[in-house]
Amino acid sequence: MSEIDIRAMSRTEIDMAVDWAAAEGWNPGIEDVPCFAAEDPNGFMIATVGGEPAAVISVIRYGTGFGFLGFYIAAPEFRGRGLGMRLWTAGMARLEGRLVGLDGVVDQQANYAKSGFVLAHRNIRHGGSVHVDQPADSGLVAITPSMVDTVTAFDRAFFPAPRDRFVACWLSGETRIGRALVDDGTMRGYGLIRRCRHGFKIGPLFADTADGADLLFRSLAAETGGEELFLDTPEPNAEAVALARRYGLTPVFETARMYRGPDPGLPLDRTFGITTFELG
């Protein structure tokens, strides 16, 4: 085999990795790439063989104690040659000493378990067309740049480590709309919808109550014009699954949320939509 090199990706190579993810059917957002790299620019790694891209992985460091693994893909012509495992080993070394999470396909659970990962819960992707009117509610407000600090503060309860740079980027862009639910000056939830390679995704969708999540969902879904919409719900939140079904969305895919290290105990009862399977 030609010389193997494992290193951090360039920005162009991160674009390529997202294209690979799209080819696998993961349907990334149109403006996801800058946000994927915002928190940890060196967190995307690539294995090349003779200078040719062979496999990719993301191992994003958040804060001082958490990491999330995603984008674990080998080019078809390089599969079955051990390159993926070599890259996996290098990526996990980058996250050594941290709690590590991932959203993996269910049939790979046994392989992840060999590396010390334990199933926390399933996530169910629901998809379909939703036809709803924009709800009239004084508590619904558009998320503006002046609200970013408030949103990132609210977001911290839903993730194992601060991810302020990621959230600030996630809320920006021409193909994204964010809405917050505010009650007497206090934020009670927020959500974001973004255009993807195919249709739209809502994520995250965080709210203190099921009624609040429903209101945010309708406000965001009204922006799709009936195009296909996807919502990734944590299966333990029965109210989230019920919300998706209430508006005609049906299961199309699922992942296994797994952790190497103690389960961080995130508030799944208030998590109605996962932010992204790629970065948590």
Side-chain angles (χ1 to χ4, degrees):
M1 186 181 292
S2 301
E3 182 180 356
I4 300 171
D5 183 35
I6 294 177
R7 56 174 172 77
M9 289 188 212
S10 67
R11 169 56 191 271
T12 300
E13 288 168 334
I14 296 175
D15 288 336
M16 179 202 71
V18 174
D19 287 340
W20 283 16
E24 295 291 323
W26 297 1
N27 194 27
I30 298 298
E31 296 181 282
D32 283 358
V33 172
C35 303
F36 286 164
E39 198 72 38
D40 183 4
N42 295 317
F44 279 76
M45 299 178 68
I46 187 169
T48 62
V49 177
E52 183 177 354
V56 296
I57 197 170
S58 63
V59 279
I60 305 299
R61 294 170 174 170
Y62 292 96
T64 59
F66 183 63
F68 200 87
L69 186 150
F71 283 97
Y72 184 39
I73 311 169
E77 63 271 27
F78 288 102
R79 292 174 184 173
R81 297 165 63 176
L83 287 168
M85 183 51 64
R86 290 182 64 169
L87 182 58
W88 169 279
T89 300
M92 291 301 294
R94 189 172 190 272
L95 299 180
E96 187 62 37
R98 293 170 177 257
L99 169 67
V100 182
L102 61 80
D103 279 319
V105 294
V106 174
D107 62 5
Q108 289 296 316
Q109 282 186 59
N111 287 332
Y112 296 135
K114 292 175 184 177
S115 294
F117 285 85
V118 176
L119 177 68
H121 57 85
R122 295 164 63 211
N123 293 317
I124 311 298
R125 173 165 293 167
H126 295 82
S129 296
V130 177
H131 300 272
V132 293
D133 294 327
Q134 185 64 241
D137 190 291
S138 61
L140 282 171
V141 297
I143 296 176
T144 62
S146 65
M147 293 180 62
V148 169
D149 287 347
T150 302
V151 174
T152 54
F154 185 85
D155 183 86
R156 286 173 195 149
F158 296 86
F159 202 71
R163 53 175 182 173
D164 295 9
R165 288 188 295 273
F166 168 80
V167 172
C169 180
W170 202 246
L171 294 172
S172 66
E174 298 298 320
T175 62
R176 300 161 183 267
I177 295 173
R179 296 269 160 73
L181 188 61
V182 179
D183 179 22
D184 195 23
T186 300
M187 183 168 290
R188 300 298 185 186
Y190 88 96
L192 180 134
I193 188 167
R194 72 194 199 278
R195 181 170 284 282
C196 296
R197 303 286 180 97
H198 176 66
F200 294 83
K201 287 181 185 173
I202 290 178
L205 182 59
F206 301 148
D208 290 346
T209 67
D211 287 345
D214 185 281
L215 189 60
L216 283 164
F217 176 86
R218 285 185 285 127
S219 179
L220 296 169
E223 302 289 343
T224 66
E227 290 189 53
E228 194 160 19
L229 173 65
F230 300 94
L231 177 69
D232 300 333
T233 61
E235 188 185 43
N237 186 339
E239 294 278 10
V241 174
L243 183 155
R245 293 177 177 171
R246 184 158 61 247
Y247 293 102
L249 302 182
T250 57
V252 296
F253 181 64
E254 67 179 81
T255 66
R257 170 62 62 89
M258 305 181 75
Y259 294 103
R260 188 188 71 172
D263 189 317
L266 300 179
L268 297 182
D269 61 325
R270 297 192 292 144
T271 302
F272 294 83
I274 302 295
T275 305
T276 164
F277 286 160
E278 290 80 22
L279 267 72

